């Protein structure tokens, strides 16, 4: 089987033997005679009703750096669990769940979409009510040959999308508080933290909790680099998976007090290209840092944010 560098790193993570770490193969994607697993991790208390942090990457096959940030964090965490008893104690009361590479087939083909040509982040059954959709970018059903294709009308979601939705339902739909972060790259000069909605500028029901979280982030990490905004500030889209998962979770939790805040980190790749224009001629050069010092800096800079979010998910009373 043709192997993928990122899957090799993820397989190495599955070899850690620790009773706090569970690995799951959620499904497999078949591409040109090869098959690639969608691998998930659940670390800590396995109940679906503990505070949870979710880390996701590789929805878009060209954006390898997102998977790398998640894999780097998990590798460090797994090593730390081998010696840090306080951390082990912490995980008795909470968990981190993760799918570091949601679209391995797309990544193997050097494509943004999955192998069927579907942009997974346009694939959910949610419709934008925007009066100003951006041509193609907002999602369309014209042709799988064009980028941002949503898939055929009325068809079930793609297996990668469905695997993500099912995993979220299994892992944290009864949690008192869950924060998820989905790592992407490509849009703009800055690193942006986006919160819902992507499909509409109508108020997001948990905007107050988002503001509380942003306040404690600003106070705790005053020199952070993130521009924080609702996703619709940049563009609106139909079929956003996190809009869909957020709405599903909200629908199922009308009666109780569970909360889910799904975030997207869009790493601004234009700055990498600006500083090293020739990289656009390399594979994935538009979406990933190529020079090693820039790659290292990218791996380092988001670790602090992930640690903050892990603490915030455990201490949800402070912002919920
Ligand atoms: Zn993306």
């Amino acid at each position: 089987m043709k192997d993928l560098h990122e899957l090799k790193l993820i397989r190495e993570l599955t070899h850690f033997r620790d009773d706090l770490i569970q690995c799951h193969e959620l499904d497999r994607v078949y591409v040109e005679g090869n098959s690639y697993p969608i691998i998930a991790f659940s670390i800590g208390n396995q109940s679906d009703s503990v505070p949870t942090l979710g880390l996701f990457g590789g929805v878009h096959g060209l954006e390898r750096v997102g998977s790398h940030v998640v894999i780097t964090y998990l590798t460090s965490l797994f090593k730390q669990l081998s010696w840090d008893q306080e951390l082990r104690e912490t995980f008795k009361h909470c968990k981190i769940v993760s799918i570091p590479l949601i679209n391995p087939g797309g990544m193997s083909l050097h494509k943004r979409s999955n192998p069927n040509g579907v942009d997974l982040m346009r694939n959910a059954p949610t419709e934008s009510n925007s009066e100003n959709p951006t041509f193609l970018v907002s999602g369309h059903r014209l042709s799988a040959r064009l980028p941002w294709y949503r898939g055929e009308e009325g068809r079930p979601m793609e297996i990668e999308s469905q695997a993500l939705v099912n995993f979220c339902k299994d892992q944290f739909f009864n949690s008192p508080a869950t924060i998820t972060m989905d790592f992407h790259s490509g849009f703009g000069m800055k690193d942006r933290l986006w919160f819902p909605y992507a499909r509409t500028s109508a108020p997001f029901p948990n905007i107050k909790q988002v503001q509380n979280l942003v306040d404690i982030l600003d106070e705790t990490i005053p020199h952070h680099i993130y521009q924080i905004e609702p996703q619709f500030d940049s563009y609106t889209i139909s079929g956003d998976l996190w809009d869909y998962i957020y709405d599903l979770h909200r629908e199922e939790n009308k009666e109780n007090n569970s909360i889910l805040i799904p975030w997207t980190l869009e790493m601004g790749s234009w700055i990498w290209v600006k500083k090293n224009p020739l990289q656009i001629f390399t594979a994935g050069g538009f979406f990933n840092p190529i020079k090693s010092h820039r790659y290292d800096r990218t791996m380092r800079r988001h670790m602090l944010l992930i640690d903050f979010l892990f603490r915030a998910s455990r201490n949800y009373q402070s912002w919920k």
Side-chain angles (χ1 to χ4, degrees), residues 60 63 112 184-185 266:
H60 291 136
E63 300 165 19
R112 170 187 171 90
H184 290 249
S185 61
E266 186 79 14

Side-chain angles (χ1 to χ4, degrees), residues 115-133:
N116 296 333
V118 175
D119 184 331
L120 299 175
M121 208 37 83
R122 307 288 187 281
N123 185 222
T126 55
E127 302 299 325
S128 170
N129 62 3
S130 166
E131 287 169 5
N132 302 308

Side-chain angles (χ1 to χ4, degrees), residues 28 38 58 111 126-127 144 223 246 283:
R28 288 188 90 82
I38 302 171
K111 284 167 69 168
T126 55
E127 302 299 325
H223 305 292
Y246 173 81

Side-chain angles (χ1 to χ4, degrees), residues 85-302:
Q85 292 305 322
E86 284 172 20
L87 183 64
R88 297 187 68 81
E89 191 59 34
T90 298
F91 270 109
K92 287 184 180 165
H93 314 288
C94 62
K95 68 177 167 179
I96 292 181
V97 299
S98 179
I99 308 176
L101 175 48
I102 293 170
N103 179 14
M107 200 170 279
S108 77
L109 294 169
H110 306 287
K111 284 167 69 168
R112 170 187 171 90
S113 67
N114 79 346
N116 296 333
V118 175
D119 184 331
L120 299 175
M121 208 37 83
R122 307 288 187 281
N123 185 222
T126 55
E127 302 299 325
S128 170
N129 62 3
S130 166
E131 287 169 5
N132 302 308
T134 312
F135 180 60
L136 299 181
V137 174
S138 290
H140 65 86
R141 297 196 194 274
L142 299 172
S143 162
R145 291 172 186 275
L146 296 169
W148 305 292
Y149 178 60
R150 299 190 58 197
E152 244 175 78
E153 178 94 59
R155 287 262 316 234
M157 276 192 284
E158 298 294 300
I159 65 166
E160 300 90 339
S161 310
Q162 195 62 59
L164 173 66
V165 172
N166 292 349
F167 181 67
C168 291
K169 280 182 170 178
D170 280 352
Q171 292 292 329
F172 56 71
F173 264 36
N174 289 316
S175 153
T178 299
I179 299 172
T180 61
M181 185 61 75
D182 186 15
F183 292 84
H184 290 249
S185 61
F187 181 83
M189 299 285 281
K190 290 183 172 168
D191 290 346
R192 288 157 201 267
L193 286 177
W194 282 334
F195 59 87
Y197 281 116
R199 62 180 158 78
T200 173
S201 55
F204 168 56
N206 289 115
I207 189 69
K208 180 169 163 280
Q209 287 79 10
V210 165
Q211 192 53 57
N212 293 342
L213 258 176
V214 172
D215 288 346
I216 59 170
L217 173 65
D218 288 345
E219 285 163 11
T220 313
I221 314 178
H223 305 292
H224 74 72
I225 39 133
Y226 303 104
Q227 179 162 326
I228 304 171
E229 57 196 19
Q231 179 168 346
F232 66 73
D233 262 11
S234 294
Y235 46 81
T236 51
I237 62 176
S238 290
D240 183 282
L241 286 168
W242 293 110
D243 277 11
Y244 179 64
I245 292 167
Y246 173 81
D247 285 343
L248 263 186
H249 172 271
R250 202 171 150 71
E251 186 62 32
E252 287 194 14
N253 285 287
K254 275 188 181 144
E255 307 300 319
N256 65 33
N257 208 12
S258 177
I259 188 170
L260 165 64
I261 310 282
W263 292 87
T264 296
L265 170 56
E266 186 79 14
M267 287 175 255
S269 70
W270 300 354
I271 192 86
W272 303 323
V273 175
K274 186 180 167 203
K275 291 188 173 168
N276 184 32
L278 291 177
Q279 77 175 45
I280 62 169
F281 299 112
T282 63
F286 199 76
F287 297 95
N288 305 288
I290 302 294
K291 296 261 183 189
S292 69
H293 67 278
R294 221 161 272 141
Y295 177 85
D296 291 344
R297 195 184 304 145
T298 305
M299 290 305 110
R300 275 197 309 274
R301 83 192 306 180
H302 304 297

